[in-house]
């Protein structure tokens, strides 16, 4: 018995030692507040982030921002969930819209109205100046839980040299679906006729549905769905709409492009293909602009708006959002950073440095931003496209699983060469099951 | 021999009165770091996930709800689950025999007196040490239809290029080739050890009786290696049913879900959709399956294993 007691004591003592060494310690130096900020910026954006934080700290003495990198995607949400459970959450985290559901359910983040209506709040006018798609994305079930830090959308990147070689006008990128099909055909070359194209016109972003790029594929499919006049899910969130006639039209376009160009035998490392001049057109976003300046310096290339569909022009808007955690010891200091971040001149500064798009209209009136737009036509394409930008309405429950079911349908119709309508309907049955079961 | 010594030793110690009073205490003291780590990261999760397999829990909302066997019935009714199980079985049946035959063959060749033996052994063992993620990334490059090394060789042989990662059957095959390359080194080392344990005198005796190369191999080497083979078989089966990292990086379960294996499926439900209960149920199914298969192997194959003294 005596040994057992001794053992239990030692065991506990060691566990405490072990656990406490895992916890983080906050060292405070004379009233200075440190705000822990988690983000997943790709390495090329980190210098811009450093400049941004330096500017904030200079303008707000007494507050230090401790930015920590967490790998994006699955890793970030996993880390956030465990941090909330173990009470080590950051003050602010940068996150994707689909994570808000989980964090709200865990009661981990503040409602924005808590701060907006507080002493140090912001006006409704300022709030309404933010692009509606982003505000919708920053909310869950109509309540604002975060503020956007930056916006992105999807454009069409094309190689002017290859256009010239194929006898196309390099200043006339495809303006609608018809031209996209036509140009793609002209730009696809199979020199030796072995079924593998050495050069491909347009890269349809097909990736394994269950893999890390599955939801990325769905995100890029969204604008085509809207261009055809379709939508993802109905307003009541009782059934999905992507298997409508419009959805079929959009996926048929992808299937045709995939088949015509024999993309099954083409690499899915599209960036490599573009750099080496084996690919003429691809979907891509402004976040790569700083990188492409160097990477693509041997190619004459440009960005263009996405080709318009039979119904309208549209692009998909994405963005990353900042949420404040309830476990934060300094929620007011954290809020100060958020409020500062959405000011027009700061947004202009951040946008120019990072290559991300501003989150609100007012930035367009900042003189240095206007000057920057004139000097950078590729960037201007994205900023102008914000006007036709749409965001996928957030799904309250099971959004990630539904997105995977759509991804399966897209993969079936392209790689699997299955019937479009059948694949979409099969996928819709599974998704609707999730929607109805969550309503119970 | 070693085992006997150990048993004798422990028998001696367990005699009453041979304990000194502080023994247990200090033993536990020295063991406690391991015990803490073992119980936090292995023992606790094992029991907790069993408990979870009867619950519906999404990891962040605090409370789990008891739903009885629902997770298990959902699993049995899911078509995807059976597909995934089938994929795992194909992968295992594809990897284990190739892996074992290749590692035995290489170990056998390297057991002879040849130049550069040490270098070759290291070279064949190297893939085992490489991080699985890095290895899978390299292979993804090599399998690329446009820039890949593999198709370069295929085409220079005058054959049609194969779309390794975009065609369901080819992708499974590509995965098996890579896995064999990655893991056969460790089995080769085990076989080498087994081969070196066979006394030279057996071969000499067989030679005197006029046995040829094949006769010696079949009648001496193979039976003498049986304990090693048995061990390798059980271990390869367990590890091939648990394959995940290379699948995640090389094929991401694609194309069309053709390489989605059981653990990948568990990962998807646990850490993407946060359905911890369902994921735990599948994990326990995997445990039960491996347990039964191993018991089966021990029961029916062990009697065939020729044991030496």
């Amino acid at each position: 018995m005596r040994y057992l007691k001794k053992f239990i004591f030692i065991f506990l003592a060691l566990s405490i030692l072990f656990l406490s060494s895992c916890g983080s310690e906050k060292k405070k130096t004379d009233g200075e507040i440190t705000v822990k900020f988690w983000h997943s910026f790709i390495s090329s954006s980190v210098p811009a982030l450093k400049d941004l934080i330096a500017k904030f700290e200079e303008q707000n003495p007494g507050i230090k921002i401790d930015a920590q990198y967490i790998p994006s995607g699955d890793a970030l949400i996993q880390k956030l969930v465990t941090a909330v459970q173990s009470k080590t959450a950051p003050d602010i985290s940068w996150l994707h819209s689909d994570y808000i559901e989980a964090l709200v359910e865990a009661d981990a983040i503040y409602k924005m109205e808590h701060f907006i209506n507080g002493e140090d709040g912001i006006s409704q006018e300022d709030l309404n100046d933010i692009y509606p798609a982003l505000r919708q994305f920053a909310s869950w079930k109509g309540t604002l839980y975060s503020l956007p830090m930056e916006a992105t959308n999807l454009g069409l990147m094309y190689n002017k040299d290859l256009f010239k070689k194929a006898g196309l006008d390099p200043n006339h990128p495809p303006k609608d679906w018809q031209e996209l099909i036509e140009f793609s055909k002209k730009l696809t070359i199979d020199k030796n006729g072995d079924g593998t194209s050495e050069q491909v016109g347009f890269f349809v972003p097909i990736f394994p549905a269950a893999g890390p790029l599955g939801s990325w594929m769905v995100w890029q499919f969204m604008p085509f769905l809207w261009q055809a006049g379709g939508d993802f899910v109905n307003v009541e969130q009782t059934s999905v709409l992507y298997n409508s006639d419009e959805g079929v039209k959009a996926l048929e376009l992808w299937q045709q492009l995939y088949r015509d160009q024999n993309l099954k035998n083409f690499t899915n490392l599209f960036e490599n293909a573009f750099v080496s001049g084996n690919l003429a057109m691809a979907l891509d976003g402004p976040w790569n602009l700083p990188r492409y300046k160097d990477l693509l310096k041997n190619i004459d290339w440009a960005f263009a708006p996405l080709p318009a569909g039979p119904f309208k022009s549209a692009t998909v808007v994405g963005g990353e959002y900042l949420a404040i955690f309830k476990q934060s010891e300094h929620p007011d200091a954290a809020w100060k950073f958020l409020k500062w971040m959405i000011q027009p001149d700061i947004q202009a500064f951040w946008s120019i440095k990072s290559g991300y798009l501003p989150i609100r209209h007012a930035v367009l009136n900042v003189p240095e931003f206007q000057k920057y737009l004139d000097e950078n036509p590729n960037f201007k394409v994205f900023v102008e496209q914000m006007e036709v930008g749409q965001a996928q309405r957030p799904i309250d429950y099971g959004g990630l699983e539904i997105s995977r079911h759509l991804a399966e349908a897209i993969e079936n119709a392209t790689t699997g060469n299955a019937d479009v309508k059948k694949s979409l309907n099969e996928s819709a049955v599974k998704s609707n099951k999730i929607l109805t079961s969550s309503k119970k | 021999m070693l085992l006997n010594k150990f048993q004798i030793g422990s028998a001696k110690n367990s005699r009453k009165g041979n304990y000194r009073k502080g023994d247990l205490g200090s033993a536990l003291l020295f063991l406690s770091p391991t015990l803490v780590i073992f119980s936090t990261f292995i023992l606790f999760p094992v029991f907790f996930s069993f408990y979870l397999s009867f619950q519906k829990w999404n990891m962040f909302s605090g409370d789990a709800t008891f739903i009885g066997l629902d997770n298990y019935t959902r699993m049995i009714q899911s078509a995807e689950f059976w597909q995934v199980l089938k994929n795992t079985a194909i992968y295992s049946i594809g990897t284990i025999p190739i892996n074992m035959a290749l590692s035995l063959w290489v170990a056998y060749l390297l057991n002879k007196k040849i130049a550069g033996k040490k270098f070759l052994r290291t070279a064949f063992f190297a893939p085992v040490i490489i991080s699985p993620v890095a290895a899978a990334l390299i292979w993804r490059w090599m399998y690329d239809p446009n820039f890949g090394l593999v198709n370069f060789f295929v085409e220079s042989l005058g054959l049609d290029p194969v779309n390794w990662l975009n065609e369901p059957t080819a992708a499974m095959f590509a995965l098996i080739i890579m896995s064999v390359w990655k893991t056969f080194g460790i089995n080769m080392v085990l076989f080498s050890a087994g081969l070196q344990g066979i006394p030279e005198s057996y071969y000499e005796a067989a030679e005197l009786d006029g046995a040829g190369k094949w006769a010696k191999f079949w009648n001496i080497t193979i039976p003498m290696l049986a304990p090693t083979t048995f061990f390798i078989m059980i271990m390869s089966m367990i590890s091939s049913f648990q394959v995940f990292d290379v699948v995640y990086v090389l094929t991401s379960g694609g194309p069309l879900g053709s390489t989605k294996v059981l653990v990948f499926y568990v990962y998807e439900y646990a850490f993407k959709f946060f359905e911890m209960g369902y994921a735990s149920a599948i994990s326990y199914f995997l445990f039960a399956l491996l347990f039964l298969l191993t018991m089966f192997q021990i029961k029916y194959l062990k009697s065939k294993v020729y044991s030496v003294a």
Side-chain angles (χ1 to χ4, degrees):
Chain A
M1 253 346 256
R2 240 176 62 212
Y3 302 128
L4 195 67
K5 265 188 198 158
K6 210 187 232 170
F7 163 68
I8 289 171
F9 171 74
I10 292 166
F11 183 90
L12 286 177
L14 277 168
S15 332
I16 290 165
L17 208 78
F18 180 70
L19 290 177
S20 63
S21 63
C22 299
S24 64
E25 279 167 46
K26 274 181 192 156
K27 277 180 197 143
K28 284 171 196 160
T29 44
D30 352 304
E32 194 170 70
I33 291 171
T34 304
V35 173
K36 215 199 287 170
F37 170 42
W38 286 5
H39 69 87
S40 313
F41 284 109
I42 50 174
S43 58
S44 56
S45 304
V46 168
L49 183 69
K50 280 194 177 137
D51 290 345
L52 182 79
I53 289 172
K55 199 175 170 102
F56 175 79
E57 286 173 349
E58 187 193 307
Q59 292 179 10
N60 295 274
I63 305 179
K64 276 195 91 72
I65 303 283
D66 176 18
Q68 291 176 5
Y69 170 78
I70 312 285
S72 125
D74 297 351
L76 178 66
I77 182 69
Q78 282 160 19
K79 192 136 193 232
L80 281 173
V81 168
T82 17
V84 169
Q85 291 282 348
S86 60
K87 309 249 179 294
T88 51
D91 299 284
I92 305 173
S93 181
W94 179 92
L95 35 89
H96 302 294
S97 176
D98 6 359
Y99 301 168
I100 297 179
E101 171 194 337
L103 294 170
V104 173
E105 286 213 332
D107 193 25
I109 53 178
Y110 279 105
K111 286 182 183 166
M112 278 297 125
E113 61 193 42
H114 177 88
F115 302 103
I116 291 172
N117 302 332
E119 281 171 31
D120 190 24
I122 43 179
S123 72
Q124 201 58 43
E125 266 172 17
D126 269 346
L127 213 56
N128 289 344
D129 187 44
I130 298 173
Y131 292 109
L134 293 175
R135 262 182 289 146
Q136 198 181 37
F137 236 169
S139 314
W140 188 61
K141 284 188 161 180
T143 308
L144 198 64
Y145 279 97
S146 60
L147 285 181
M149 181 170 179
E150 68 257 335
T152 56
N153 63 44
L154 210 54
L156 183 80
M157 175 169 74
Y158 71 105
N159 184 325
K160 288 186 173 180
D161 295 334
L162 295 184
F163 266 59
K164 268 179 238 161
K165 261 186 222 156
L168 294 166
D169 178 2
N171 294 316
H172 181 93
K175 62 175 193 304
D176 54 28
W177 284 13
Q178 206 44 52
E179 285 191 350
L180 183 64
I181 295 172
E182 203 182 296
F183 290 8
S184 299
K185 254 185 211 160
K186 280 189 188 155
L187 287 160
T188 302
I189 300 167
D190 181 3
K191 280 176 207 139
N192 48 9
D194 62 352
T196 307
S197 314
E198 284 80 24
Q199 183 186 308
V200 157
F202 174 72
F203 178 77
V204 184
I206 300 297
F207 302 102
L213 296 176
S215 49
W216 171 230
M217 166 170 83
V218 170
W219 193 74
Q220 298 187 74
F221 180 69
M222 296 312 294
F224 291 86
L225 186 59
W226 294 320
Q227 286 162 7
D231 208 346
F232 190 64
V233 65
N234 66 355
V235 182
E236 303 81 28
Q237 301 204 355
T238 49
S239 73
V240 291
L241 298 175
Y242 60 69
N243 59 331
S244 62
D245 289 348
E246 291 80 18
V248 171
K249 247 188 246 168
L251 189 51
E252 270 173 356
L253 171 76
W254 274 31
Q255 189 188 49
Q256 190 188 348
L257 287 166
Y258 194 83
R259 244 189 232 162
D260 284 356
Q261 305 176 86
N262 196 9
L263 283 177
K264 196 169 184 175
N265 289 336
F266 194 65
T267 177
N268 64 8
L269 303 164
F270 84 92
E271 219 176 79
N272 293 311
F274 196 85
V275 174
S276 55
N278 295 330
L279 174 65
M281 293 181 280
L283 302 171
D284 212 338
W287 58 87
N288 275 326
L289 282 172
R291 267 178 65 229
Y292 285 166
K293 245 171 226 164
D294 248 14
L295 196 64
L296 300 180
K297 60 175 177 239
N298 297 326
I299 297 176
D300 187 12
W301 63 284
F303 266 111
L306 290 186
F311 182 70
K312 62 175 179 186
S313 301
T315 185
V316 60
V317 168
E320 274 81 34
Y321 303 85
L322 300 175
I324 301 177
F325 282 75
K326 288 194 171 166
Q327 284 172 17
S328 165
E329 284 174 32
H330 314 290
D332 293 329
W335 167 249
K336 220 172 209 163
F337 180 68
L338 262 64
K339 190 187 164 189
W340 178 83
M341 188 66 229
I342 63 164
Q343 291 174 55
D345 56 323
I346 302 301
Q347 276 290 317
F349 173 82
W350 170 234
S351 178
I352 291 168
K353 289 256 173 189
S354 69
Y356 284 103
L357 309 177
I359 59 152
R360 56 192 289 183
H361 300 101
V363 180
L364 299 175
N365 303 328
V366 177
E368 51 176 321
F369 192 71
Q370 286 167 340
K371 193 173 151 245
Y372 183 75
L373 283 186
D374 291 339
E375 288 162 4
N376 295 276
N378 280 331
F379 189 68
K380 198 172 176 181
V381 167
F382 289 103
V383 175
E384 283 171 353
Q385 251 202 140
M386 276 313 273
E387 297 305 326
V388 294
Q390 259 178 281
Q392 177 201 314
R393 192 177 301 123
I395 293 180
D396 296 344
Y397 298 102
L400 288 167
E401 229 172 318
I402 293 171
S403 152
R404 202 252 273 168
H405 288 313
L406 174 55
E408 280 165 358
I410 298 173
E411 207 194 347
N412 278 335
T414 49
T415 318
N417 206 7
D419 182 60
V420 168
K421 206 174 170 77
K422 200 169 150 254
S423 319
L424 284 174
N425 281 337
E426 278 170 6
S427 150
V429 170
K430 290 184 206 161
S431 298
N432 286 337
K433 227 187 199 164
I434 299 167
L435 286 174
T436 43
S437 73
S438 71
K439 289 283 171 207
K440 275 177 203 158
Chain B
M1 256 324 262
L2 198 70
L3 198 69
N4 284 342
K5 245 183 210 165
F6 182 73
Q7 276 164 349
I8 292 162
S10 63
K12 231 187 224 164
N13 277 345
S14 67
R15 247 186 286 143
K16 272 181 192 172
N18 220 346
Y19 264 128
R20 265 183 286 134
K21 282 202 168 168
D23 273 5
L24 181 64
S26 48
L28 287 177
L29 172 67
F30 286 115
L31 284 174
S32 54
T34 321
L35 286 176
V36 172
I37 291 170
F38 177 75
S39 44
T40 341
F41 293 109
I42 296 177
L43 212 54
F44 170 71
V46 164
F47 288 107
F48 189 56
S49 62
F50 184 66
Y51 159 81
L52 276 182
S53 71
F54 302 102
Q55 312 276 331
K56 190 178 170 69
W57 186 52
N58 66 0
M59 223 167 152
F60 19 85
S61 68
D63 29 290
T65 24
F66 179 76
I67 52 166
L69 288 170
D70 278 11
N71 285 326
Y72 289 95
T73 43
R74 178 181 168 194
M75 176 180 92
I76 291 167
Q77 284 165 358
S78 156
E80 195 181 14
F81 167 75
W82 292 107
Q83 182 57 47
V84 163
L85 188 62
K86 196 178 132 200
N87 292 344
T88 317
I90 295 174
Y91 170 81
S92 300
I93 295 168
T95 4
I96 300 172
I98 302 179
N99 191 328
M100 288 179 67
L102 186 68
S103 51
L104 175 60
W105 185 54
V106 174
Y108 185 72
L109 292 180
L110 288 181
N111 203 35
K112 294 176 179 167
K113 289 190 180 87
I114 51 165
K117 195 159 95 177
K118 274 191 179 156
F119 168 77
L120 285 172
R121 235 177 233 168
T122 318
F124 284 124
F125 191 69
V128 179
I129 311 166
I130 302 174
S131 131
V133 174
L137 275 174
I138 296 169
W139 278 81
R140 211 167 73 183
W141 263 99
M142 298 199 338
Y143 282 135
D144 190 282
N146 292 70
F147 308 110
L149 204 60
V150 178
N151 267 357
F152 175 77
F153 285 122
V154 170
E155 279 182 276
S156 59
L157 288 175
L159 300 166
D160 278 342
V162 182
N163 198 333
W164 292 99
L165 300 178
N166 233 356
E167 198 72 66
T169 23
M172 181 54 91
F173 199 62
L175 182 65
I176 289 172
I177 295 176
M178 193 226 141
S179 295
V180 169
W181 167 84
K182 181 84 182 69
T183 52
F184 91 94
I186 188 89
N187 294 342
M188 178 202 72
V189 169
L190 289 169
F191 272 129
S192 298
L195 284 171
Q196 279 161 14
I198 303 176
E200 200 59 30
S201 54
Y202 289 18
Y203 291 108
E204 283 162 14
E207 267 162 41
L208 285 179
D209 289 341
K213 250 186 185 175
W214 273 108
K216 279 194 289 179
F217 185 75
W218 280 115
N219 299 319
I220 299 172
T221 316
I222 294 286
M224 291 295 284
L225 277 179
T228 318
T229 317
F230 181 62
F231 172 77
I232 290 177
M233 205 152 120
I234 290 182
M235 295 315 279
S236 328
M237 189 194 65
I238 294 176
S239 64
S240 68
F241 266 85
Q242 293 178 338
V243 65
F244 170 72
D245 36 21
V246 289
V247 179
Y248 186 82
V249 182
L250 188 69
T251 62
S252 306
L256 305 167
S258 60
T259 55
K260 205 193 247 187
V261 288
L262 215 52
V263 179
F264 190 96
Y265 188 59
V266 171
Y267 169 83
E268 202 182 7
Y269 274 91
F271 300 113
K272 252 181 150 163
F273 307 146
F274 296 106
E275 294 187 29
M276 301 308 282
Y278 185 51
S280 301
I282 308 164
S283 308
Y284 261 86
F285 170 84
L286 176 63
F287 166 72
L289 181 72
L290 282 175
F291 186 77
L292 284 176
L293 282 173
T294 311
M295 288 316 281
F296 176 84
Q297 283 183 315
I298 290 178
K299 195 155 180 228
Y300 289 95
L301 294 177
K302 202 165 183 196
S303 57
K304 296 195 170 61
V305 171
Y306 180 80
S307 74
V308 215

